[in-house]
Amino acid sequence: MRLALTSADLRQLAHTPAELAAVTCLRLGRGGWTLGVRDPDGRRTALVAIDAEALHERLAAGDSFVELLAANDSWRLAGPATGGQLQVVTGPHHAWQQARVVDIAGAQRVIGPGLDLIITRCRRYLAADPSGELTELTELASAELVYRLPQLCEDGLPPVLLAARHARRLVESLATPGTADAERARAGARAAATVTELLRHTVGAHVRAQRGIAAQLLVDHLGSQAAARAELGIGRSTLCELLSGR
């Protein structure tokens, strides 16, 4: 897939007849660059770099194709330039700020009712819609999606998603049927309160300890706390607390 926009692409767009200039544009979809017509009714199914009308105006003002390419860093997507199976992630609103390139070679796929989640080898979480367009998700958003599914094959799930499934079973184990009598309802309310305290104190402390162990391993692998902070996206005080076991 070709990800770089070239002078040849702009030159081809510039040949668009004046009567079609307002609706003809260069678009970057999951398969690369195409020259086509804007989607009707304002819908967007790809990233629009520039339309022919705007290009004609820039050329008339004296800009060259080379200058246009050099001045538009926003047309260059973040992510790998080469790989086994590159795909453009456009996001739900097809905005350049949301776009990046990912390599989905060797990715894990988690399929469930209404869910098609792709987990790349570098641990990026991508949701695929029915048309195949990809949107990048945070790890938390992915865990929430997996948590909400009534059923899901759990073989090979990453630890965070497997933990989300365990959390769902914990909640289900506390469910009180609608036909429960007063005694069972009382017991259900007390059990939920007890588990809440267990999670807040004992389980929370143990999860934080595991986070500290993982953070220390990362520091050891990267060779410095500064590198680990950058990798984890946390501040100095947070990392120090994790490493100290607090």
Side-chain angles (χ1 to χ4, degrees):
M1 178 175 63
R2 182 171 61 85
L3 296 170
L5 189 62
T6 66
S7 296
D9 295 314
L10 293 179
R11 188 171 288 105
Q12 184 182 12
L13 181 64
H15 290 154
T16 303
E19 63 271 18
L20 298 176
V23 295
T24 306
C25 61
L26 279 168
R27 301 180 300 178
L28 183 61
R30 67 175 187 266
W33 286 102
T34 58
L35 180 67
V37 177
R38 282 187 182 275
D39 299 307
D41 304 321
R43 293 184 297 107
R44 297 179 69 177
T45 57
L47 297 165
V48 177
I50 189 171
D51 61 37
E53 188 172 55
L55 180 59
H56 289 171
E57 292 174 356
R58 297 292 296 273
L59 294 175
D63 292 331
S64 69
F65 295 129
V66 174
E67 289 171 333
L68 285 171
L69 289 172
N72 286 278
D73 288 336
S74 60
W75 295 347
R76 298 174 179 85
L77 297 184
T82 59
Q85 196 174 348
L86 299 184
Q87 190 161 327
V88 176
V89 180
T90 59
H93 304 295
H94 303 289
W96 282 99
Q97 299 92 319
Q98 300 171 328
R100 64 176 297 107
V101 179
V102 294
D103 186 356
I104 60 174
Q108 179 182 1
R109 205 144 195 162
V110 180
I111 306 292
L115 176 70
D116 187 353
L117 186 65
I118 299 171
I119 308 168
T120 69
R121 287 186 294 184
C122 59
R123 277 293 186 268
R124 290 194 176 277
Y125 293 83
L126 310 168
D129 68 15
S131 68
E133 296 293 335
L134 301 180
T135 300
E136 186 162 10
L137 302 177
T138 64
E139 190 171 67
L140 176 58
S142 302
E144 288 177 341
L145 286 174
V146 167
Y147 170 85
R148 295 179 186 281
L149 287 180
Q151 293 182 333
L152 181 69
C153 177
E154 299 178 7
D155 293 344
L157 283 182
V160 66
L161 300 187
L162 186 58
R165 297 302 298 170
H166 290 326
R168 182 183 178 90
R169 281 191 286 274
L170 181 149
V171 173
E172 290 173 344
S173 70
L174 295 171
T176 302
T179 56
D181 57 21
E183 182 59 33
R184 186 166 183 184
R186 187 182 301 112
R190 288 175 175 169
T194 298
V195 170
T196 298
E197 290 302 306
L198 180 67
L199 292 172
R200 181 180 294 125
H201 299 292
T202 307
V203 176
H206 287 166
V207 170
R208 189 171 181 83
Q210 291 301 320
R211 185 183 178 193
I213 292 170
Q216 182 63 66
L217 289 171
L218 187 60
V219 170
D220 295 342
H221 284 302
L222 297 180
S224 74
Q225 292 189 11
R229 291 200 310 272
E231 186 74 20
L232 295 173
I234 59 177
R236 182 191 300 271
S237 61
T238 301
L239 180 60
C240 289
E241 288 181 1
L242 289 173
L243 298 183
S244 67
R246 286 183 287 157

